[in-house]
Amino acid sequence: AGRPGPTSHITISHNHFYYGHGMSIGSETDGGASAIRVTDLSIEGADNGIRIKSNSSRGGLVHDVVYEDVCIKDTANPIYMDSDYSFRGEATDKLPVFTDITVRNVRIIGPGKITLDGFDASHRLGMRFDNLVLDDPKSVSISAGHGEFALGPGPVNFLPAGEDTKITGVPGKGTPNACEGKFVKLPVGFQTH
């Protein structure tokens, strides 16, 4: 989503991610990114899971992004919204805004860190969590700032908290996303580097 123009109407579906940087959008978002759907995804053993990244030298509007039916296991950063990614140089007027991001029917298995950072009070992170369940909430640390987070109508078993955060909605009841059979072993003979 760099300078040539917006990146829009993309579907990423039916994938198994192993090692690596996870399902990432960015870091160039100055052209804008929208209408992105990620569905039927499993991530195991990666550095990151669901990730949007940018900074003040290459940021723009990222909105209307839906992650649905996602299982994340043994991943260092299961959810990572990073508005200050790998910043080098001087700030510009290309400020990142991540909003209208929906995380629905997502289950996180194992420890890790969830980072939910908007850029500043004027360029906030906007997310909805609907049936986002951590299997072991005590093993997942959560950092949030400059964000507006809507909870429900499905279950959510953690609360984002931090500087300049606002919570709306009430988590409901429901069954966590079914992850049985979602984690596929690497094919025989496949090597990672």
Side-chain angles (χ1 to χ4, degrees):
R3 293 180 194 171
T7 298
S8 185
H9 295 89
I10 296 173
T11 299
I12 300 103
S13 59
H14 315 304
N15 286 283
H16 303 284
F17 289 7
Y18 302 96
Y19 308 100
H21 299 297
M23 178 56 244
S24 297
I25 297 171
S27 64
E28 288 185 322
T29 61
D30 50 318
S34 65
I36 298 171
R37 302 295 182 262
V38 178
T39 185
D40 185 20
L41 171 64
S42 62
I43 302 173
E44 182 176 9
D47 296 336
N48 304 294
I50 295 168
R51 181 185 196 193
I52 303 175
K53 57 183 181 172
S54 196
N55 66 38
S56 60
S57 69
R58 54 190 156 192
L61 177 61
V62 178
H63 68 104
D64 187 19
V65 179
V66 178
Y67 301 92
E68 187 163 26
D69 186 17
V70 179
C71 296
I72 302 171
K73 181 178 179 183
D74 298 331
T75 295
N77 299 287
I79 301 175
Y80 198 176
M81 301 293 128
D82 185 1
S83 61
D84 195 28
Y85 169 76
S86 187
F87 181 73
R88 295 182 202 98
E90 295 184 28
T92 66
D93 61 352
K94 298 176 183 175
L95 303 181
V97 178
F98 309 152
T99 192
D100 189 20
I101 312 297
T102 300
V103 178
R104 179 182 300 124
N105 296 327
V106 173
R107 189 168 177 184
I108 297 172
I109 302 166
K113 180 178 182 184
I114 293 175
T115 302
L116 307 169
D117 287 338
F119 185 76
D120 61 21
S122 299
H123 303 85
R124 301 170 66 74
L125 172 62
M127 296 185 75
R128 170 171 294 281
F129 302 129
D130 177 12
N131 196 5
L132 171 56
V133 175
L134 314 179
D135 270 21
D136 183 8
K138 291 182 181 178
S139 71
V140 179
S141 65
I142 299 163
S143 168
H146 304 300
E148 297 179 10
F149 306 103
L151 308 181
V156 178
N157 66 345
F158 74 97
L159 286 176
E163 178 187 359
D164 188 26
T165 59
K166 179 181 176 185
I167 306 288
T168 60
V170 177
K173 294 186 178 183
T175 304
N177 194 34
C179 291
E180 291 75 20
K182 290 280 191 169
F183 299 103
V184 180
K185 292 190 181 270
L186 283 171
V188 174
F190 184 84
Q191 295 181 355
T192 62
H193 299 279

